[in-house]
Each structure stands twice: as structure tokens, then as C-alpha cells.
Amino acid sequence: MGSGETSPTMVTLHRELVAHLGADPGAAILETPYGFQVNRDDISSRARDYFRRSVGLATAVVSDAVAETVSEDALDGIRDQVRRAAWVFSGPGSPSYALGRWREQGLGQVLADRVRRGHGVTVMASAAACTVGFAALPVYEVYKAGHAPVWLEGLDLLGVLGLPVVVIPHYDNAEGGTHDTRFCYLGETRLASMERQLPDTAAVLGIDEHTALVIDLDAAVARVWGRGVLTIRRRGVSTLVPSGTTLTLERLRALVAGTDEGEIPAPRQPSAGPGAAARPTGQPVTLQEAVTTAEARFDAARTAQDAGAMVDAVLALETVIAAWATDTEEDLGADWARTVLRGMIRQLTRPAQQGMREPDLTIGLIAGPLLELRRRLRTQGAYDLADVVRDALAAARVHIRDTPDGSRWHFTPGEAPRPAGPDGPVPPQA
């Protein structure tokens, strides 16, 4: 998985993968890639909560055990747990840290054995995805610490399948704005430099964010799932495999080897029939897109002066933020989303305050003078005109009660009256 492994975008795929398991599968989360972080317990807790709530899968966390501090019997137990699990998942953090630990623990070989035996489901995402090739990208060291861009020795899980590749998740990352953060924050210049270090038989597998490459060993096929594409890159020349494409493993090997240079057509979308609207593609929505949609809904409701729709947009955004709360990746915009939410709430303050002071600041300013006008008209015998004034006030939900001491009025709350046009009330805006 290129990214989003514990976000709403990947729920459908996780459910599909879990559906292949038995009724009570052993499910393990390898916390190693983020095992060095002080908040690792919180990340693990959120991951377990995500899989329990969204996928219906009970998981156990495999501790990032340091070989020097645990007994060999304990390490045997950890290795056996991963070996037997029907489902194993690992995600964000540092590829280089994970590689070092897994070699100390002997888990790298266990993971390779799982693939070789075709046992269960193994999900490697984000940082963990970097480790599955024969070489691995040290993201932290190159991007954040300025180390020379060189490869590390990877687990080579895909080499077992005849795929001599390096895997780069976050391939289409665009967080940098004014600087190039594609290719898992490498950018084109550094990727080109590192690419020259690879043997001629190897290729780069680039997996876009919120995208996955699903390899079915029983069927011997590979499928691209999600929002983006799979890129097979050799010496700067890229072949794009669109989402929804299924390739045989044999053809994927040929694309990696460079012996198949054919283009991969985009899968045809199902026809909706003559005159019917096109069916949605079903691509998952990212947090940024969901926030942008909620903000647009709010702005449209504000323009239409529809307070109910404004509140609905606020509640929709709050739901989106809650749904993304279990996402274990960093820098995915949660703080920005909350800032947008707070801004929307602040914009509700003025109309809410005005509504709470209704009718004093609006109808209250004109009801008194109109009642005085009605009194004078009645005094002058212009009862028809006085009734027009009464009916106009009634249309605004201002009701008049005549008493020996004068006329009194009261306001009845309800749906705001629509302004009248030449042909009657103006219809609400779409």
C-alpha cells in the first residue's frame, strides 16, 4: 500500500482481504517501523481500533523486541506468532529501523517464508512497503538528515516471486508544494541518482498514495487498487498501470524485466446505458478532498442563507475528522481539517447571535411604526389600508391583538419568510 493504510480510503480493500481468512484468524500488527517512537503505544492502539471498528478484525500487536533484552525463547515465540498468523500488517515509520530490527529478530526471513509458502495475507504499507524489495529506500536519512542517497539491503519479499524491484510508496506525494516530494520525498534528481545504482535487471515499483498493488499468489495475478497508478520505472522510463488493472504475474515480470514495453490501457468503466448518468468510479476519497467538499457545501449554504445546511456541513466535516482519527500516518492534514472546522463554526456565530436576538433587531424596529400607521389609518376610517398593514405583519409572523389600551404584537418563531417578488414569493436557491 502506498499510503492511507489505516484511513477510510483503504477500508474496502482491507475488508476484501480479510474476507479470504477463516472465521477466527490470527492477526498480527508489526509495530517495528515506528517502534522507536515514544508514541508507539498510541499508534498501535489507533491501528487496532481501526481494524476492529472498520474491518471487524481483532488484532494483536507484535512488540518491537530488542534481541539483547529478550530471551531466545521469547524471540522464538514472536517468530512463531508471525509465521502462523493468517494476517500480518506493518505500516508507517522508518524503513531502515524496521530492517535492522527484523534482521536482529529473524523476522525478515519469517516474512519471506510467508510469501514463499503463499501463507495467509501479508500487508506491507508506507515505510514497511519500502522494505519488500531487494533494496530499500532510507527515507528518514536521505530526506530529513541529508545523508547521501544510497540504497539499503531490503527483505526481497518480491524477489521470491521473480520480481527484482525496489518499492517506493507515496510515489505521487505532493506535500512539498514548491519543491519536489514525489517518490517518497526523494524528488526526481535523487531518484535518478539512486536509479543508476540499480542493476540492469531491476526496476522501481512506484505505488501512489491511497493505492495498493494486490498480488494473488493462488491466481498468479497482480491488481492495482485505489486512487492512483502503479508505476514500473526502468532507467527513467515509466510504464503506468492504472487503477483497476489486473495483470498476470508473468506479464508483471516481463514489464519489470523490460521485455514487455506495451502500454497498459485504462480499464473500461461499466456502461450506464443510453441516456443514463455514468456510474461513479468508486475511488476512495482522501481527507483533503472530504474537507474541501464540506467547506464548499458550507459556503454554498451561507450564500443561500440556509442555516440548516450550514450546520449539516459542519457536522459532516466533524464526522470526516472522526473517521480519520485512527490514521497512523503523519502529516495527512488532521490539524488543517480541524482549523477549517473551527473556521466554519466561527462563521455561524453572527447569524446565530442575530437569531437569538430576534425579533428585537429586525421586526422589532418596524413593528412599532407600522402599528402606529395602522392606528392612524383606522382613525381616518381607512380600514382597508389598515388591514393591508395587519396582513403584511401577519405574513412576517407578527400577530396583532387589539385591546382597550392599544394594539399589542407578538412574534411567532418559525421558518423565515421568503422575500416577495412581482409574481409572489421568491423560491429558495438551489
Side-chain angles (χ1 to χ4, degrees):
M1 293 183 175
S3 79
E5 58 272 13
T6 52
S7 76
T9 62
M10 287 295 175
V11 168
T12 300
L13 179 57
H14 282 305
R15 289 175 178 172
E16 176 186 321
L17 298 176
V18 169
H20 292 280
L21 308 180
D24 187 23
I29 295 175
L30 301 182
E31 70 174 10
T32 310
Y34 56 87
F36 64 95
Q37 297 179 203
V38 295
N39 65 335
R40 73 178 188 180
D41 291 340
D42 176 63
I43 295 174
S44 293
S45 176
R46 284 188 285 136
R48 293 192 67 201
D49 187 59
Y50 169 84
F51 288 112
R52 179 177 61 84
R53 290 177 178 272
S54 300
V55 187
L57 182 66
T59 59
V61 175
V62 177
S63 175
D64 176 36
V66 181
E68 292 82 0
T69 60
V70 296
S71 67
E72 188 60 32
D73 286 344
L75 283 175
D76 282 342
I78 290 173
R79 289 188 286 263
D80 190 59
Q81 180 183 1
V82 176
R83 184 179 297 109
R84 292 174 177 271
W87 180 93
V88 169
F89 167 87
S90 192
S94 166
S96 55
Y97 181 87
L99 286 169
R101 280 286 194 263
W102 285 336
R103 288 197 178 94
E104 290 177 8
Q105 301 164 353
L107 284 180
Q109 186 59 51
V110 172
L111 291 169
D113 288 341
R114 286 177 60 87
V115 177
R116 184 177 295 105
R117 293 184 293 123
H119 176 69
V121 174
T122 303
V123 182
M124 305 292 274
S126 297
C130 287
T131 71
V132 304
F134 74 92
L137 172 64
V139 178
Y140 277 63
E141 291 81 354
V142 173
Y143 179 60
K144 295 191 175 183
H147 289 195
V150 295
W151 301 103
L152 302 174
E153 181 184 354
L155 299 178
D156 204 16
L157 304 187
L158 296 182
V160 173
L161 308 179
L163 296 170
V165 296
V166 297
V167 175
I168 301 183
H170 297 278
Y171 200 73
D172 62 340
N173 181 271
E175 292 177 19
T178 58
H179 64 282
D180 189 2
T181 55
R182 293 173 298 163
F183 322 135
C184 202
Y185 310 99
L186 276 183
E188 175 63 35
T189 301
R190 283 179 290 197
L191 176 58
S193 171
M194 296 183 71
E195 199 173 23
R196 289 192 289 270
Q197 303 170 25
L198 299 176
D200 292 337
T201 56
V204 170
L205 284 189
I207 306 177
D208 284 353
E209 296 184 331
H210 305 282
T211 305
L213 174 63
V214 183
I215 300 178
D216 186 333
L217 299 182
D218 290 334
V221 296
R223 175 166 57 103
V224 181
W225 187 97
R227 296 183 48 80
V229 301
L230 170 73
T231 301
I232 303 170
R233 173 168 165 154
R234 292 177 52 82
R235 296 293 186 238
V237 178
S238 297
T239 299
L240 305 183
V241 185
S243 176
T245 301
T246 298
L247 302 173
T248 64
L249 267 180
E250 181 180 0
R251 187 173 188 198
L252 181 58
R253 293 186 188 107
L255 290 166
V256 167
T259 58
D260 183 338
E261 298 180 355
E263 293 187 0
I264 311 296
R268 294 182 60 184
Q269 295 293 329
S271 173
R279 295 181 183 179
T281 61
Q283 290 184 334
V285 176
T286 65
L287 175 59
Q288 181 176 359
E289 289 171 337
V291 172
T292 301
T293 298
E295 193 172 20
R297 285 179 55 191
F298 182 88
D299 291 342
R302 182 183 57 188
T303 300
Q305 297 184 333
D306 187 340
M310 291 170 72
V311 172
D312 287 344
V314 169
L315 295 177
L317 180 53
E318 191 276 334
T319 300
V320 166
I321 293 173
W324 282 80
T326 53
D327 186 22
T328 55
E329 286 214 80
E330 300 176 356
D331 303 324
L332 285 181
D335 289 341
W336 165 68
R338 284 188 286 269
T339 298
V340 172
L341 178 64
R342 287 192 290 268
M344 290 163 62
I345 293 173
R346 289 192 185 99
Q347 291 181 64
L348 284 169
T349 302
R350 183 174 179 181
Q353 184 64 42
Q354 181 176 340
M356 292 179 70
R357 299 181 67 179
E358 189 73 60
D360 294 338
L361 291 181
T362 52
I363 294 174
L365 298 178
I366 63 172
L370 287 176
L371 286 179
E372 176 60 21
L373 172 61
R374 177 173 176 268
R375 185 191 66 77
R376 291 184 182 183
L377 290 172
R378 287 164 62 90
T379 300
Q380 297 169 8
Y383 294 104
D384 290 346
L385 293 176
D387 289 344
V388 170
V389 174
R390 181 199 62 199
D391 293 342
L393 286 168
R397 303 190 308 279
V398 176
H399 303 285
I400 300 172
R401 184 166 64 90
D402 295 316
T403 70
D405 297 328
S407 298
R408 300 286 185 270
W409 65 273
H410 69 276
F411 175 75
T412 303
E415 182 180 356
R418 299 172 188 166
D423 299 318
V426 176
Q429 298 184 33

